[in-house]
Amino acid sequence: MARTATETRPSEARLRLLTTASQIFYAEGIHSVGVDRIIEEAKVTRATFYRHFPGKEDLILAYLQGADHAIRDQVETAVADLPPGDAVRAIAASIAKGIRSSGFRGCAFLNAVAEYPDPDHPVHQAVIAHRQWFLTTIDTLMTRVERRKAKPAAQHFVMLRDGAMAAGCLFDPKLISDTFLRGVDGLVEIHGSRPPSESARTTRPAARSRPSA
């Protein structure tokens, strides 16, 4: 039996709660924001909140899940129909665009994990899962550029990205974005260049010894 549109569409109250919480969590942090404020700003009752989210942790995980889906969509849009090297550059360009956007406050996942350092906590695990997906995505593209040393190249990209996201909300976002893009462009060029093989290298012939007089 087919499900109706009403059954498949999230309730308006849940969307309002999640949208409100996501905006506040990202702008101000997670621990500093209480459930009461979210309920008040979302204009719902306490009963409505707990009907959709049994506790604050469930709301936090839903916030991170939404951020994860948004980034996956962003990456998918950026890489559509592009060769792998250009796809890596396109992902970097989409990150740089976010850094230059108004209200940028760094990486939502790095911000969250700073507040949840316990590796066994569900929020920490959600952050690690997202980061592993992102690293795997870049690793796959780098492998298509050049199979050798793709993993270190992907790790290098993620470190460049993390640095840019951290610095982008502290310093001039345009300067940070331009520096990040130059770094990624150089990384792709270096990774994609194949050094000459041992057999192709020209070697200087060994000098002959002079006959003794």
Side-chain angles (χ1 to χ4, degrees), residues 170-192:
L170 297 174
F171 305 105
D172 179 4
K174 184 180 185 307
L175 174 63
I176 298 301
S177 296
D178 290 346
T179 303
F180 169 61
L181 292 174
R182 283 197 303 272
V184 170
D185 191 57
L187 175 64
V188 173
E189 287 186 8
I190 292 170
H191 178 62

Side-chain angles (χ1 to χ4, degrees), residues 15-16 39 42 46 54 59 76 79 87 93 106 145 161-163 206 208:
L15 286 174
R16 196 158 64 246
I39 290 172
R46 182 173 292 274
L59 179 60
E76 184 177 345
V79 305
V145 173
R161 179 259 183 202
D162 287 350
R208 295 179 179 176

Side-chain angles (χ1 to χ4, degrees), residues 14-34:
R14 188 184 189 281
L15 286 174
R16 196 158 64 246
L17 278 165
L18 186 54
T19 300
T20 300
S22 297
Q23 291 170 347
I24 300 174
F25 286 159
Y26 182 68
E28 301 180 25
I30 296 173
H31 286 324
S32 63
V33 180

Side-chain angles (χ1 to χ4, degrees), residues 94-176:
S94 69
I95 292 168
K97 181 179 179 181
I99 292 172
R100 293 191 300 266
S101 65
S102 62
F104 177 73
R105 294 293 183 274
C107 172
F109 292 90
L110 291 178
N111 294 346
V113 83
E115 297 193 62
Y116 291 87
D118 180 1
D120 294 326
H121 194 284
V123 171
H124 191 107
Q125 292 175 354
V127 172
I128 296 301
H130 168 79
R131 289 179 62 80
Q132 185 58 55
W133 162 79
F134 187 77
L135 176 60
T136 300
T137 299
I138 301 299
D139 188 12
T140 299
L141 290 172
M142 287 297 191
T143 299
R144 293 173 184 167
V145 173
E146 167 56 54
R147 183 174 297 278
R148 295 172 305 162
K149 298 185 179 180
K151 192 174 189 66
Q155 292 169 335
H156 192 169
F157 179 100
V158 173
M159 289 186 68
L160 288 172
R161 179 259 183 202
D162 287 350
M165 295 288 272
C169 56
L170 297 174
F171 305 105
D172 179 4
K174 184 180 185 307
L175 174 63
I176 298 301

